[in-house]
Amino acid sequence: GVCVNALVRQRRELERGRGELLLHPAELLAHLAYLVEARLCELAERDEREAARIATIDYLAQVNALTVLTDVMTRGEIFAFSSIAGWRARRANYVYGSTKAGLDGFYTQLGEALRGSGVKVLTVRPGQVRTKMSAGVKEAPLTINKEEVARIAVKNAGAGKGAVFAPAAFGGVMAVLTHVPRPIFRKLPF
């Protein structure tokens, strides 16, 4: 909300020939990344307003922000944070997973649309990340600290990759999980 509105105002000022970009892309994405609370996923299944809120915050706001941002950027790299939850949405959080699936597709094709423009998109696909939001939640295998996700993004900046997993081991895990038949997948303990 606030970050997106500030960026829209900055865009209008830039279009009028005055003003400067005040929010660094990394700051904007950091603000957006922590807006969705995982504990509300169950509520989203029963309450269309909560499902719409999650979709707005976790999908529409980022599409809006990145569309505005890429319109004013002439060079640089955007770290676009997706999630492995988007590769194979789980029953336990399918509203959240569906927003991440949409974002992953958006980020990937945004990178293609920007090819040759001087602006690149690196899609970062973490698994569970230790944050204030996940405090007290049972950790999944390969859970990492948010600082490690940032290190992985920075390490891969400028490397010409369109996407990276955080940690890298998730690439192999997801390559297998995407091919597990649905009747077996629904019985998995996560």
Side-chain angles (χ1 to χ4, degrees):
V2 173
C3 296
V4 174
N5 291 335
L7 194 58
V8 169
R9 281 193 304 277
Q10 289 176 49
R11 177 184 179 189
R12 289 183 185 133
E13 292 296 311
L14 286 168
E15 287 172 350
R16 292 182 188 125
R18 56 186 189 270
E20 59 184 270
L21 192 60
L22 301 175
L23 286 178
H24 186 277
E27 292 175 309
L28 175 67
L29 290 176
H31 286 296
L32 294 173
Y34 294 103
L35 294 176
V36 174
E37 297 178 20
R39 66 180 181 271
L40 296 176
C41 290
E42 186 178 322
L43 176 60
E45 293 181 26
R46 300 183 315 272
D47 184 341
E48 71 278 2
R49 289 175 302 220
E50 183 59 22
R53 185 186 78 79
I54 289 172
T56 298
I57 291 171
D58 215 40
Y59 179 74
L60 296 175
Q62 292 187 56
V63 169
N64 179 325
L66 288 179
T67 300
V68 171
L69 186 63
T70 57
D71 195 35
V72 298
M73 286 181 71
T74 58
R75 60 183 165 69
E77 187 159 8
I78 296 169
F79 296 158
F81 293 92
S82 180
S83 171
I84 60 158
W87 271 52
R88 184 91 191 242
R90 299 178 299 121
R91 168 68 181 89
N93 66 354
Y94 65 87
V95 174
Y96 171 79
S98 69
T99 66
K100 289 302 185 181
L103 278 176
D104 202 273
F106 176 78
Y107 295 152
T108 301
Q109 295 313 309
L110 177 63
E112 290 299 314
L114 293 170
R115 186 176 292 276
S117 72
V119 179
K120 297 180 179 171
V121 177
L122 175 65
T123 303
V124 182
R125 298 175 176 137
Q128 185 177 358
V129 180
R130 290 180 196 100
T131 64
K132 290 178 184 176
M133 184 178 81
S134 65
V137 175
K138 182 180 176 191
E139 289 193 0
L142 302 176
T143 297
I144 61 174
N145 294 319
K146 62 183 183 248
E147 295 82 8
E148 182 61 20
V149 175
R151 275 192 289 278
I152 290 167
V154 170
K155 176 184 171 191
N156 287 282
K161 297 178 180 179
V164 294
F165 288 92
F170 261 124
V173 171
M174 295 313 294
V176 171
L177 285 179
T178 56
H179 297 288
V180 173
R182 187 176 297 173
I184 295 170
F185 185 79
R186 73 173 56 106
K187 293 177 183 179
L188 294 175
F190 50 82

